[in-house]
C-alpha cells in the first residue's frame, strides 16, 4: 500500500478552503434580501462556512501528523502552514480583538 502524504492532503484542503472563501465572498456581495423574496443564500453561506471550518481543522490535523512523521518540508507544507495562519489563526485573533473593542 502506498504511504499517505499528509502534507499533500493539507495542501489540497487549503486550496479548497480558498475556493470556498471566494464563493462565500461572491455570495455575500450579491446577497439581496428583500421582504417577500424567497432566498436560501443565507443557509448556503452557513453550510459553506461549516465545510470550510471542517477542512481547516483537517488541514491542521494533517500538518501536525506530517510534522510528527518528519515528512520532507516542501512548498505544499509551507503553503499549508501559511493557509492555516491566514484562514484560521488570523481571523481568530481578529475576532477576539474586535470583541475587546
Amino acid at each position: 500500500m502506498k504511504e499517505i502524504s499528509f502534507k499533500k492532503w493539507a495542501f489540497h484542503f487549503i486550496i479548497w478552503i480558498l475556493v470556498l472563501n471566494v464563493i462565500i465572498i461572491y455570495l455575500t456581495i450579491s446577497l439581496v434580501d428583500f421582504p417577500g423574496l424567497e432566498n436560501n443564500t443565507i443557509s448556503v453561506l452557513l453550510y459553506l462556512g461549516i465545510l470550510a471550518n471542517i477542512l481547516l481543522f483537517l488541514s491542521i490535523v494533517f500538518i501536525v501528523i506530517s510534522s510528527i512523521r518528519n515528512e520532507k518540508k516542501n512548498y505544499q507544507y509551507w503553503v499549508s502552514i501559511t493557509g492555516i495562519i491566514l484562514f484560521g489563526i488570523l481571523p481568530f485573533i481578529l475576532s477576539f480583538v474586535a470583541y475587546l473593542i
Side-chain angles (χ1 to χ4, degrees), residues 30-48:
S30 64
L31 177 65
V32 177
D33 196 20
F34 291 124
L37 179 68
E38 191 166 329
N39 194 354
N40 65 348
T41 305
I42 295 173
S43 62
V44 170
L45 286 171
L46 174 71
Y47 296 139
L48 289 176

Side-chain angles (χ1 to χ4, degrees), residues 43-94:
S43 62
V44 170
L45 286 171
L46 174 71
Y47 296 139
L48 289 176
I50 291 171
L51 180 61
N53 286 332
I54 290 170
L55 290 176
L56 180 67
F57 176 73
L58 288 174
S59 294
I60 293 169
V61 168
F62 284 172
I63 283 297
V64 168
I65 292 172
S66 175
S67 297
I68 290 172
R69 296 179 81 194
N70 292 327
E71 290 183 352
K72 183 180 174 185
K73 294 173 176 54
N74 59 5
Y75 73 95
Q76 293 173 337
Y77 180 84
W78 294 112
V79 168
S80 297
I81 292 293
T82 305
I84 289 170
I85 290 170
L86 288 177
F87 297 125
I89 296 171
L90 191 62
F92 179 73
I93 292 171
L94 291 176

